[in-house]
Amino acid sequence: PLIVDSDINISDINNLQTNELSLNNNKIYGSNYTLDKLYNVKKLYSIQSPSVTVWSEELNLFVMISATKKIYTSYDGEVWNYTGDTELNIVSGCWSSSLGIFVFLSDSSSDITIITSEDGKIWNFITIPGATNTKDITWSSTLSTFTIISPNYIYISEDSLIWISYTPPSSSMIKISFSTSLNLFVSVLSSTGTNNIFTSANGVNWTQRTKSTSDAFISLNWGDKFYASTANNIFTSDNGTTWTSMSTT
């Protein structure tokens, strides 16, 4: 995508090439569209994927950190403002409505650092001693806790400052999500097997669940239900216990 910033005027540029779009003679050409005019465009960025994007309903604000470690904010998902850089490799993020902070999780082979912000512009850095190779983070609004998963430990915190470690049910936990309506955590595994789903009411004690195929998971989210994807399938669940396959092939 193209990201707009107000620092530099590019009105004199006649040819611009990004990894997705090209600009020639004041027209933008894409695979399915052509824009004849550019309005109020001052600075353009090409953002590489994957990126981590978090939405705050209270602030009506998206915060995104790209694979190139650049930080952007947006109020509508279309116009984005560059706010700075981070030296961290960000792998996940979430928003805490009760604390009023964004929390982004980095990945490292040594002590993990998380960054927190109230507005996506000013950031605080917090190190979790002993935490390594962390995979995902989620916020539970009903329990008022953050939960981080990693191969060796599950980390839980009420304030993002003090973290308590617990033993995970599997070293292959790769994604975690929380359903407010169900008061339930679901975590999926990167390892193969029909029993590579876990559920928990508190993030500490976990119950193993099964699905119809043995392929490994790569993503998990909660919307109106849980959605979990593998390389060839999308699985959905209304309750975290029973999973239905929606083949993508």
Side-chain angles (χ1 to χ4, degrees), residues 135 169-175 187-198 208-209 211 213-219 229-231 235:
K135 303 301 182 182
S170 169
S171 61
S172 298
M173 297 175 79
I174 188 172
K175 295 294 180 182
S187 182
V188 296
L189 309 186
S190 60
S191 58
T192 58
T194 58
N195 56 351
N196 55 359
I197 302 170
F198 285 88
Q208 199 165 29
R209 308 296 183 181
K211 68 181 191 308
T213 66
S214 62
D215 40 347
F217 284 103
I218 55 178
S219 70
S229 66
T230 67
F235 291 86

Side-chain angles (χ1 to χ4, degrees), residues 142-248:
T142 53
L143 298 177
S144 297
T145 56
F146 296 101
T147 301
I148 294 173
I149 56 172
S150 75
N152 298 318
Y153 295 101
I154 293 173
Y155 299 90
I156 297 178
S157 174
E158 296 180 352
D159 58 7
S160 79
L161 300 173
I162 300 174
W163 294 84
I164 300 175
S165 61
Y166 300 89
T167 301
S170 169
S171 61
S172 298
M173 297 175 79
I174 188 172
K175 295 294 180 182
I176 186 172
S177 186
F178 182 79
S179 165
T180 301
S181 59
L182 298 176
N183 291 324
L184 187 72
F185 292 95
V186 168
S187 182
V188 296
L189 309 186
S190 60
S191 58
T192 58
T194 58
N195 56 351
N196 55 359
I197 302 170
F198 285 88
T199 62
S200 174
N202 57 13
V204 177
N205 304 305
W206 295 84
T207 301
Q208 199 165 29
R209 308 296 183 181
T210 61
K211 68 181 191 308
S212 59
T213 66
S214 62
D215 40 347
F217 284 103
I218 55 178
S219 70
L220 171 70
N221 282 288
W222 167 260
D224 57 337
K225 61 183 71 174
F226 286 106
Y227 294 84
S229 66
T230 67
N232 300 312
N233 289 277
I234 296 175
F235 291 86
T236 64
S237 177
D238 295 319
N239 56 18
T241 302
T242 303
W243 293 81
T244 302
S245 172
M246 301 169 59
S247 178
T248 60

Side-chain angles (χ1 to χ4, degrees), residues 33-48:
Y33 52 84
T34 299
L35 300 180
D36 291 329
K37 298 291 183 180
L38 291 176
Y39 297 99
N40 300 321
V41 176
K42 299 296 182 65
K43 188 176 182 180
L44 300 179
Y45 298 91
S46 173
I47 293 185
Q48 300 177 2

